[in-house]
Amino acid sequence: QPQPVVVPSETIAMSGLPSLQEIERRFSHISQPAPTAEGAKSLLASGNYLKTLSKLPQSLPLFFELLTSSPNPVHRQLAGVIVRPAIVTNWVKLSTETREHIKTSLFVLLTKEANDLVRNTLALLLAAAAKTVLASGGSWDQLLPHLFEVAASPSPAHRVAALTVLTTLFEAKQVAEQLFSLLPRFHQLIRTSLRDEEAVEVKLAALHLLTAIIPRLFDPTLLAPFKETVPLLLSTIHWLIIHRETDAAKQCLGLFDDLIETPVQYLNGSFPALVQFVLELVKTHSLDVDLRISALSVLFFCAQYKPKRITKNQLVVPVVHTLIQNMALPSAADAQGDTFEEEVSLHTSLSDILGKFSRLVSPAKVFAAASPAIAAGVQSQNKWERRAAFSTLAVIAKGCRAQILMQLDEILPLLYRGCEDGDLLVQQTAGIALGRFADQMQPYILDHHADLLPRVFKLMGNESAKLQEVSCYALSVFAQNLDEDILPYLHPLMERLVLLLSSSNIKIVEMTLPAISGTAAAARSKFAPYAQAVLTKVQPLARITDSNELELRGRALECVGNVALAIGPAAFSPYLEYFVQSAEQAMHMGSDVLRAFVYPFFANLTEMMGPQDAKVLLPAMMPLLIKGMEVSDQVPTSDASGVGAGMFSGTEEEGTLKFVIEASLVDEKVAALNAVAAVAYVCQGAFMPYLMQCLSIVFSLTRYVHPSIREAALIPAVAFVKLVHTEYPRKPGTVATETRQVLDTLLPLMIGNLLSDHDGEVAAANAKALRKLVRMVGFPAVSKHLPKLAPVLLKVYAKQCYSHVVRSDYEENDDVEGDDGEGDEIEFRFFSQTNKLIVEIARVHKKEFLHSCYPFVEALKAHASAETQPDQYFRQEAIGALASLVEALGPHCESKFQEFMAAGLQAMRDEESSVQSNGAFLCGLLCGFAGASAVPFYQPLLEAIHPILSSGDEAAEDNACGLLARLIVSSPANTLPVDQVVPVLLKHLPLKEDMEENKIVYGSLIHLYHQQHPVIRAQFAQLVTVFATALTLSPVQQEVKEEITKVLRLMGSQHSQLMHNVLNQLPQPLQQALQSLG
């Protein structure tokens, strides 16, 4: 394209201002299409000239004159677009006479303008001038009287214009507060306008004004009259629907997004009515599908910002039932066979909202409400109801993971049944659900590979292209976690996948590539026999140039990287040059989506080659990665409307330029950050020439606007610290000056982010990164930062960080008491990572930590108590953290023994078995360290342990057994009723879930045998049975089995007759286990 000629403002000023005719001629250039190169040059030159001219204060009257007098509406529109930012910038420079002329003229122009687009521009211009005057402390006496007068005009267009100006005024906080004295008039104006049956546009403008006012009314007294408008708002939507004003009704529903999101308590009293109204729209099948989808959007915002109000008003069940019932009906897309096309259908919207409810509201309540419909649906003769049941399982898999895991053995057979359904649509949906389960139920679902994988392979062999896609998806997410368990299926699986690579269906190939990637990652070196066939078929895919298929090229390179990592450098060397060139070419094709795939390819290639060979890639690779980290994801978008208006976008302060975040560019930036971290880890010293530039970029990105990037930046930050810590020489137990310098920059950033980042995920990631650094460099390197870190961590426990404050702003106040026992997942992760950080500090700080640990112990005790922490998961985590502190401190925790034991006993008496389990573990650890100091607690411990042993919770029972075992080993002579404790312990063996306790549990029994305790002879038969059983169980660790074998042989030699008698009474498998000992 021809480059515009830059016209310096001095040149225009020296040559004098142009005539009105000259400006109109330039307007004609930029408002006409430019079919020729000469026309394009003229358009760009005129646009540049006018932009330069508009920046001169003396040009403002000239453009305003055009706005007033030009007969061409397009020219008036362009003049208005230019005048708007010019007034904001130059208002104080204008003479009093000019200002008054503009004030007066704007109202005249507004009421006389016949063109809708120009009138809207005039309204925005009037609002911009008014905001500038009022925000600067100036006066405009007739502004509001004139606006209310225009708002009462007989002309609907004038009423809309006045409402638009008033709406814009309320969007500026400083101006809005000056209008509070007139709120009764605004209230009446809104009510009157909503009842306007002459023009739909007036109703919409009034609703926009209402949504601008409400977020300003934090004072309940000011808000009270406006709460009465909620029923009127709902009746307005109803009126619009009846009068077939569907687009207007959708706009009205969209306004609820802001009204729900605001922390102002506008909707509280009407919240159930709002949800019921929306559900009625969803259930009304005669309505426009897009309108029903807009209603679903309201439900999403309710779940996002008012989850507790949904549960408090018992709305979970009606919402879930409505969603599933409507999912069970065929849509127009279903009837046409287009269910799986990418356009949004009602069914996909319904299922999407159900998935969001399961994550944002109460997973337990959503699962309880959905379970009956799922059970009935999978048994139904109606294929749509079966499809709805499997869709439900698919979308709630993430949110209801904990609830599904508790019933995984019962639910998986339902999915298997769906995958074999006689209806193709049901099969496809069940396959999708199976893929979601393979992804979300890790690692527990891996135990079901023998049942699951054959069904996936069967789906893969189906002639249906969609089933092939679905099965490849399920395999890809399953295989990457499977490791060697995939080997028995490797050959038939790869035969099928290689065949699918030749499919003419691009979607099948796109899903096949991740499946091969996952298989290669699981099989590792065993993948080598299939590498040649895969890489040969992938070669042309890695050179695709069609802009519509670049994602396929990216997936091909991603697959190649995983295959290379699996087979190693020797096997991959024949293909190295070809695919490196393919990746380098892809980086210059202008596709952010493609580049986001190339970065992981480079990372995997680097890991495959190793530090010595990979360094040859750095000169070509690192500039590309650095560019990826620096790429901007903010795309400017102008709110100016009309032909040619985009040329006059100003700054955000001028009110005409906004930014949108481009998701694909965010993905690219995140991928580049992850790749740089991987390269730094592998290349070590060879990375040093790039370190300072990368450090600078990464440190700045820890404060970036987008949370995903702030979080991703922490990964290379930790990698760089490790690199410096490794490369610079230091004496044992010390830290190099260079490492300390990096930490002194990075640690304050991370500590500050814990407190100030508004996103809880990012705050949690900072805590996790800090923990890694403490472990990596040791206490001396971080000790100077502890005085600043400690109070921040206490603020985390007190929920006083910015991420807590932001969330609480959107939660209901006094009328929502407590919660339903399910904590916010993000807040919980922040809490959990903070606990792990404190435990790591205690581990490296040891005895010195005790001087500063008291506030942390007290904070954790508060979170462990049901009186102060209603959420069972937080209580469970808090007790677990206290136990980890005891493990980290060891005998050093003796001075805090009383505080720890009080918390442990309290937890053992908790009503939730998961809390009891961690309480038993904590008390067991304490008794193991305390010895005689624990004796006074033996009786209350034994009293608390009995309910746990009969709770039915296997993990809790195992930890209770661990506590009994530690009491046996650590108790001084004659302080514990061992003859009563041992039979109870033996009765609950073997352990069912917590295999980590095997060592102490069986060790305590071996300990008693070596002491020749009288209880051994009394329980000899039971003891032999327990030991023999342990030898037959694969979960029992080998080292534990070896100790059991030793003691059994000793028992056989010392008590041969007793052993012989017991042996004859044992079941055959146990006899064989003992006889094999010799």
Side-chain angles (χ1 to χ4, degrees):
Q1 292 185 355
Q3 294 300 310
V5 178
V6 177
V7 184
S9 57
E10 310 88 65
T11 303
I12 296 177
M14 291 174 60
S15 62
L17 293 174
S19 64
L20 293 177
Q21 291 78 12
E22 172 62 15
I23 295 177
E24 293 223 57
R25 186 179 71 83
R26 300 279 188 171
F27 277 170
S28 296
H29 285 167
I30 68 171
S31 60
Q32 297 296 325
T36 65
E38 187 62 32
K41 183 176 181 180
S42 175
L43 184 152
L44 292 170
S46 292
N48 181 263
Y49 177 89
L50 290 169
K51 285 173 70 175
T52 305
L53 177 64
S54 68
K55 295 177 182 178
L56 298 175
Q58 58 267 38
S59 70
L60 177 57
L62 198 61
F63 285 113
F64 195 82
E65 179 65 21
L66 275 176
L67 175 63
T68 305
S69 61
S70 176
N72 188 325
V74 174
H75 293 183
R76 296 199 301 277
Q77 161 69 10
L78 289 170
V81 170
I82 292 175
V83 167
R84 183 176 160 199
I87 279 185
V88 174
T89 305
N90 299 309
W91 185 260
V92 296
K93 302 174 186 176
L94 300 176
S95 65
T96 303
E97 181 180 359
T98 302
R99 292 183 205 167
E100 292 304 317
H101 171 67
I102 290 174
K103 287 180 184 179
T104 305
S105 300
L106 283 174
F107 274 103
V108 174
L109 293 171
L110 187 68
T111 54
K112 288 187 175 181
E113 179 58 58
N115 183 277
D116 291 341
L117 188 60
V118 179
R119 190 188 312 108
N120 184 61
T121 298
L122 284 165
L124 295 175
L125 175 55
L126 175 56
K131 283 196 294 185
T132 302
V133 172
L134 297 178
S136 63
S139 63
W140 192 336
D141 295 336
Q142 296 304 308
L143 173 67
L144 292 172
H146 280 167
L147 284 173
F148 281 115
E149 182 180 339
V150 176
S153 166
S155 167
H158 293 167
R159 298 200 296 275
V160 170
L163 289 166
T164 300
V165 175
L166 292 169
T167 299
T168 308
L169 293 180
F170 267 97
E171 289 171 354
K173 181 180 179 182
Q174 190 175 353
V175 175
E177 291 172 350
Q178 299 179 43
L179 306 178
F180 281 179
S181 61
L182 295 172
L183 281 176
R185 291 198 65 180
F186 284 107
H187 178 249
Q188 185 57 45
L189 173 61
I190 290 170
R191 293 183 66 88
T192 301
S193 301
L194 288 177
R195 293 191 175 99
D196 192 318
E197 298 193 2
E198 182 180 358
V200 170
E201 293 79 7
V202 175
K203 291 178 179 287
L204 291 174
L207 289 174
H208 281 287
L209 175 58
L210 179 65
T211 56
I213 292 175
I214 294 301
R216 303 295 180 195
L217 304 183
F218 285 93
D219 185 338
T221 306
L222 299 177
L223 177 65
F226 286 87
K227 287 187 175 183
E228 301 171 1
T229 60
V230 179
L232 185 56
L233 202 165
L234 297 177
S235 65
T236 299
I237 298 174
H238 184 67
W239 183 92
L240 292 169
I241 292 172
I242 291 175
H243 289 81
R244 300 186 182 282
E245 296 287 352
T246 302
D247 289 341
K250 286 190 289 186
Q251 288 187 52
C252 290
L253 286 169
L255 294 175
F256 272 109
D257 297 354
D258 292 333
L259 294 175
I260 294 168
E261 182 177 353
T262 176
V264 172
Q265 306 301 307
Y266 170 63
L267 291 170
N268 282 10
S270 303
F271 189 80
L274 169 63
V275 174
Q276 293 295 346
F277 178 82
V278 168
L279 290 179
E280 286 302 316
L281 295 183
V282 173
K283 291 189 286 188
T284 306
H285 304 150
S286 59
L287 294 180
D288 178 81
V289 169
D290 288 340
L291 179 61
R292 295 167 71 191
I293 291 174
S294 296
L296 289 170
S297 178
V298 177
L299 286 180
F300 164 68
F301 274 82
C302 289
Q304 179 81 38
Y305 295 104
K306 307 293 181 185
K308 291 184 179 179
R309 189 158 295 283
I310 291 171
T311 56
K312 183 204 176 217
N313 288 287
Q314 300 180 352
L315 294 169
V316 173
V317 171
V319 169
V320 171
H321 285 181
T322 298
L323 294 175
I324 296 177
Q325 287 166 7
N326 283 270
M327 286 164 61
L329 299 173
S331 66
D334 294 329
Q336 298 167 11
D338 296 331
T339 307
F340 288 96
E341 292 301 315
E342 291 184 358
E343 69 269 19
V344 175
S345 70
L346 180 62
H347 177 86
T348 55
S349 297
L350 288 161
S351 56
D352 185 49
I353 295 299
L354 179 58
K356 288 182 169 64
F357 253 71
S358 73
R359 296 192 294 274
L360 299 172
V361 189
S362 164
K365 286 183 169 59
V366 170
F367 185 73
S371 292
I374 294 170
V378 297
Q379 303 286 344
S380 174
Q381 297 298 311
N382 185 318
K383 70 174 183 178
W384 305 112
E385 293 178 0
R386 297 201 301 278
R387 192 269 298 262
F390 293 119
S391 287
T392 300
L393 284 171
V395 298
I396 69 173
K398 182 175 182 180
C400 298
R401 178 178 183 271
Q403 291 73 29
I404 291 173
L405 284 175
M406 294 176 66
Q407 300 182 29
L408 188 61
D409 291 345
E410 292 77 29
I411 293 175
L412 281 177
L414 302 181
L415 291 181
Y416 300 155
R417 176 177 175 174
C419 290
E420 297 170 356
D421 196 278
D423 183 83
L424 183 60
L425 185 62
V426 177
Q427 270 191 297
Q428 292 169 354
T429 310
I432 292 173
L434 195 61
R436 298 277 178 87
F437 272 49
D439 187 17
Q440 296 297 328
M441 305 304 154
Q442 297 289 342
Y444 307 100
I445 199 169
L446 297 178
D447 295 337
H448 299 268
H449 67 85
D451 293 320
L452 190 148
L453 283 178
R455 288 173 169 84
V456 172
F457 299 154
K458 186 175 180 180
L459 291 178
M460 201 176 289
N462 194 287
E463 292 182 359
S464 164
K466 187 60 195 179
L467 274 180
Q468 291 174 356
E469 289 179 48
V470 167
S471 58
C472 285
Y473 162 68
L475 178 65
S476 65
V477 296
F478 198 82
Q480 58 190 306
N481 297 289
L482 198 56
D483 297 330
E484 68 275 2
D485 287 329
I486 203 171
L487 296 181
Y489 315 100
L490 188 58
H491 185 67
L493 170 62
M494 285 309 304
E495 280 189 334
R496 184 62 188 164
L497 288 174
V498 171
L499 185 63
L500 290 176
L501 278 179
S502 300
S503 172
S504 58
N505 187 320
I506 290 178
K507 288 186 177 180
I508 291 178
V509 179
E510 281 186 354
M511 294 309 300
T512 301
L513 289 166
I516 292 174
S517 294
T519 304
R524 305 300 293 176
S525 61
K526 299 292 192 302
F527 189 84
Y530 313 98
Q532 182 179 358
V534 169
L535 294 173
T536 301
K537 285 184 176 291
V538 170
Q539 280 181 325
L541 301 179
R543 294 286 175 97
I544 288 174
T545 56
D546 187 335
S547 59
N548 295 319
E549 299 179 2
L550 291 182
E551 183 172 351
L552 180 57
R553 177 172 180 161
R555 290 195 179 278
L557 287 169
E558 177 187 51
C559 179
V560 169
N562 282 287
V563 171
L565 201 55
I567 65 176
F572 187 72
S573 59
Y575 308 94
L576 179 63
E577 183 178 356
Y578 178 90
F579 285 113
V580 168
Q581 288 178 356
S582 299
E584 290 176 346
Q585 292 167 7
M587 290 297 297
H588 301 290
M589 294 182 69
S591 169
D592 46 0
V593 174
L594 180 54
R595 293 194 297 269
F597 282 107
V598 174
Y599 300 131
F601 166 79
F602 281 137
N604 282 336
L605 212 61
T606 303
E607 184 178 350
M608 180 269 294
M609 296 176 71
Q612 291 303 315
D613 294 333
K615 62 185 179 184
V616 301
L617 298 176
L618 292 178
M621 182 170 61
M622 284 308 301
L624 300 175
L625 295 178
I626 289 170
K627 186 177 180 181
M629 290 192 295
E630 292 181 318
V631 68
S632 173
D633 52 52
Q634 297 186 6
V635 180
T637 176
S638 173
D639 69 353
S641 56
V643 178
M647 289 189 172
F648 303 103
S649 300
T651 64
E652 195 168 24
E653 287 72 22
E654 292 168 342
T656 59
L657 187 65
K658 299 179 181 178
F659 288 94
V660 295
I661 301 295
E662 189 68 41
S664 58
L665 291 170
V666 171
D667 292 342
E668 178 187 355
K669 210 177 187 75
V670 170
L673 286 164
N674 288 331
V676 166
V679 172
Y681 275 124
V682 173
C683 292
Q684 301 173 8
F687 188 88
M688 293 301 290
Y690 309 96
L691 178 63
M692 294 311 297
Q693 183 180 5
C694 291
L695 272 174
S696 176
I697 296 169
V698 166
F699 284 1
S700 67
L701 292 180
T702 61
R703 295 293 184 89
Y704 198 74
V705 64
H706 198 285
S708 296
I709 293 170
R710 294 199 302 277
E711 183 175 354
L714 297 169
I715 299 173
V718 172
F720 297 159
V721 173
K722 181 176 182 181
L723 176 62
V724 175
H725 189 55
T726 303
E727 291 300 313
Y728 285 98
R730 63 191 187 279
K731 295 179 180 179
T734 64
V735 178
T737 301
E738 291 81 1
T739 304
R740 195 179 295 276
Q741 289 172 345
V742 174
L743 288 171
D744 288 348
T745 303
L746 180 59
L747 290 180
L749 285 173
M750 289 182 170
I751 294 169
N753 289 343
L754 289 177
L755 186 61
S756 63
D757 201 296
H758 71 273
D759 190 289
E761 291 273 24
V762 181
N766 275 273
K768 182 178 181 179
L770 280 166
R771 174 169 58 90
K772 289 181 178 179
L773 292 178
V774 170
R775 176 178 295 179
M776 182 191 304
V777 300
F779 175 69
V782 298
S783 58
K784 66 177 286 188
H785 300 281
L786 285 181
K788 291 185 178 179
L789 176 60
V792 171
L793 296 178
L794 290 174
K795 284 183 179 292
V796 177
Y797 288 140
K799 297 187 178 182
Q800 293 174 349
C801 297
Y802 191 50
S803 61
H804 297 118
V805 174
V806 168
R807 180 158 183 83
S808 67
D809 283 345
Y810 294 109
E811 293 185 347
E812 288 74 16
N813 292 327
D814 297 337
D815 58 343
V816 176
E817 300 176 0
D819 58 30
D820 59 3
E822 293 180 78
D824 177 83
E825 186 178 345
I826 295 174
E827 187 178 303
F828 179 80
R829 279 200 289 273
F830 190 13
F831 179 70
S832 177
Q833 290 297 338
T834 301
N835 293 338
K836 292 174 182 176
L837 171 58
I838 289 175
V839 169
E840 189 61 37
I841 292 172
R843 188 184 67 80
V844 300
H845 203 0
K846 292 294 184 186
K847 188 175 181 180
E848 292 81 358
F849 179 77
L850 289 171
H851 301 303
S852 56
C853 80
Y854 181 75
F856 299 119
V857 173
E858 288 301 305
L860 286 168
K861 283 173 62 180
H863 277 286
S865 170
E867 294 180 2
T868 53
Q869 175 54 269
D871 190 299
Q872 70 176 81
Y873 298 108
F874 277 79
R875 298 201 303 276
Q876 175 186 347
E877 171 65 24
I879 287 294
L882 287 170
S884 297
L885 276 176
V886 170
E887 278 190 302
L889 294 170
H892 297 297
C893 70
E894 187 176 353
S895 62
K896 302 293 180 184
F897 173 78
Q898 298 283 346
E899 290 89 342
F900 283 114
M901 182 59 80
L905 269 170
Q906 183 183 49
M908 289 180 67
R909 295 165 180 151
D910 195 282
E911 62 181 15
E912 295 293 339
S913 60
S914 60
V915 183
Q916 296 171 359
S917 178
N918 282 358
F921 181 65
L922 168 60
C923 291
L925 290 175
L926 288 167
C927 291
F929 291 130
S933 300
V935 172
F937 294 93
Y938 284 0
Q939 188 59 36
L941 284 171
L942 292 174
E943 291 173 357
I945 213 169
H946 278 289
I948 301 176
L949 288 170
S950 58
S951 67
D953 185 309
E954 293 180 346
E957 291 179 9
D958 288 352
N959 274 324
C961 289
L963 169 55
L964 291 177
R966 289 178 173 90
L967 289 175
I968 291 170
V969 172
S970 63
S971 60
N974 302 318
T975 58
L976 183 74
V978 176
D979 56 330
Q980 299 176 35
V981 169
V982 170
V984 173
L985 177 59
L986 292 171
K987 180 182 177 182
H988 288 86
L989 295 181
L991 301 181
K992 312 299 189 302
E993 186 170 322
D994 192 346
M995 297 300 126
E996 293 298 317
E997 294 291 83
N998 276 328
K999 185 175 182 179
I1000 184 63
V1001 167
Y1002 291 108
S1004 68
L1005 297 173
I1006 295 171
H1007 167 78
L1008 287 176
Y1009 181 82
H1010 288 312
Q1011 282 192 331
Q1012 292 297 303
H1013 195 284
V1015 74
I1016 293 299
R1017 190 168 187 87
Q1019 299 292 327
F1020 192 89
Q1022 184 62 26
L1023 185 63
V1024 171
T1025 303
V1026 164
F1027 283 157
T1029 302
L1031 295 178
T1032 66
L1033 299 176
S1034 57
V1036 177
Q1037 298 87 338
Q1038 186 59 36
E1039 61 270 25
V1040 175
K1041 290 182 178 180
E1042 290 173 359
E1043 293 301 315
I1044 291 174
T1045 298
K1046 290 178 184 178
V1047 77
L1048 281 171
R1049 286 173 174 161
L1050 187 61
M1051 293 169 74
S1053 64
Q1054 294 180 345
H1055 307 280
S1056 57
Q1057 188 58 49
L1058 270 176
M1059 182 66 80
H1060 178 75
N1061 294 339
V1062 172
L1063 183 62
N1064 290 333
Q1065 301 299 317
L1066 292 177
Q1068 190 64 33
L1070 298 187
Q1071 289 187 29
Q1072 292 174 353
L1074 291 179
Q1075 289 167 352
S1076 67
L1077 301 180

